[in-house]
Amino acid sequence: MTAVGVQPSAVGRGDVVLRADGLSKRFGGLLAVQNVSFSQYDGEILAVIGPNGAGKTTLLNLLSGVYRPSSGRLHLLGRDVTQEPMEARCHAGLGRAFQIVRPFPEMTVHENVTVGALFGTRGTTLGQARERAYDLLERTGLAAHADKEAHELTLLQDKRLEVARALATQPRVLLLDEVMAGLRPGEAQEAVGLVRSVRDSGVSVLFIEHIMPVVRDLADRVVVMDQGQVLAEGTYHEVTANPQVVAAYLGTEEGLHA
């Protein structure tokens, strides 16, 4: 298993697009994330897994700018964004889709994605945003629902809308927070196909997930967290064979199929 290290920040196929160096976050006396370092490469799907309370969502909030780190640095596409707010990171190429989907319920599906397109790129006209939104609805399988109000969608369609809104900002790196949560097995497989298509379009993906078959099917590499720290990093087969990971998270062989 390879150790997590600091990589060059040049951008290109196989180069680093997102780099965390010693990120920590303290809430009063609680150290929720402690000295987390990893690199994500261009075109890579990277999974972050671990038990409840491991610090995964806090880490995602540090990456996206919801929280500022207590210490450490974050580089996006070679640029230090450690102290930059969420909107600046979005404009710099970082998108995020949330586990709890909150579209504008009385707006149409197309209008929801248009808002994302207007927000994500400076200088985008309304006409350009609408055109980009239609293209993304085609790519995410929502074109037939473009004129529906968002509250009419199913859970799977909601998840697709959340991804489409994030993609409308034209990210180079997309953060996904348990987007498979609540989906039936067949729906989860559809969502796996959607994430793969996002990567194939040139967007690197970092995702948090508890469903291990999804991690197995999607992830090029896996970062395992426990008690706010990186416990292990490697391929799916490397980390699931690591005794520390089994003890801290998977528990038994059955845990791999949960």
Side-chain angles (χ1 to χ4, degrees):
M1 187 177 301
T2 57
V4 179
V6 177
Q7 303 292 335
S9 59
V11 178
R13 180 66 186 177
D15 290 328
V16 171
V17 291
L18 188 66
R19 189 179 83 228
D21 295 329
L23 287 182
S24 296
K25 181 61 180 178
R26 183 180 294 277
F27 298 98
L30 172 66
L31 191 57
V33 169
Q34 181 176 353
N35 196 32
V36 168
S37 297
F38 67 88
S39 293
Q40 179 171 15
Y41 299 93
D42 191 25
E44 181 178 51
I45 299 179
L46 180 66
V48 178
I49 67 171
N52 290 332
K56 303 182 300 296
T57 296
T58 300
L59 175 63
L60 219 63
N61 285 335
L62 289 171
L63 299 179
S64 62
V66 175
Y67 301 145
R68 301 285 177 88
S70 302
S71 60
R73 312 300 299 177
L74 179 68
H75 288 81
L76 172 66
L77 304 175
R79 167 179 165 182
D80 189 333
V81 296
T82 307
Q83 298 303 320
E84 295 190 3
M86 291 180 67
E87 59 270 22
R89 298 184 194 197
C90 178
H91 292 145
L94 187 69
R96 180 174 178 179
F98 291 83
Q99 177 185 1
I100 300 174
V101 181
R102 291 192 179 98
F104 300 107
E106 304 305 323
M107 295 174 64
T108 67
V109 171
H110 178 251
E111 288 168 343
N112 267 274
V113 182
T114 299
V115 169
L118 285 170
F119 175 80
T121 308
R122 292 186 178 93
T124 300
T125 67
L126 180 57
Q128 290 170 332
R130 285 173 172 165
E131 185 175 349
R132 189 188 308 162
Y134 275 124
D135 176 64
L136 285 166
L137 293 180
E138 288 282 355
R139 287 171 52 192
T140 54
L142 288 173
H145 308 285
D147 295 326
K148 286 184 178 179
E149 292 185 350
H151 66 83
E152 300 178 67
L153 298 182
T154 66
L155 178 59
L156 177 59
Q157 291 165 349
D158 269 338
K159 302 281 188 178
R160 289 179 176 271
L161 176 57
E162 182 71 2
V163 172
R165 288 200 306 171
L167 289 175
T169 67
Q170 296 187 303
R172 286 287 304 278
V173 180
L174 178 63
L175 309 178
L176 302 177
D177 188 359
E178 294 193 51
V179 295
M180 311 293 176
L183 298 181
R184 296 187 293 269
E187 293 174 330
Q189 283 306 307
E190 285 187 50
V192 164
L194 174 60
V195 175
R196 284 191 184 129
S197 72
V198 168
R199 188 269 300 277
D200 292 345
S201 73
V203 180
S204 304
V205 178
L206 184 153
F207 72 103
I208 291 175
E209 189 51 69
H210 281 292
I211 305 171
M212 293 307 291
V214 168
V215 176
R216 179 197 62 211
D217 291 347
L218 267 181
D220 298 310
R221 282 191 306 125
V222 181
V223 173
V224 186
M225 292 187 66
D226 185 40
Q227 299 183 34
Q229 303 179 68
V230 173
L231 178 64
E233 178 266 334
T235 67
Y236 174 84
H237 295 293
E238 287 172 336
V239 300
T240 55
N242 185 310
Q244 290 180 296
V245 175
V246 173
Y249 181 45
L250 300 176
T252 64
E253 179 66 21
E254 286 73 21
L256 298 178
H257 307 288

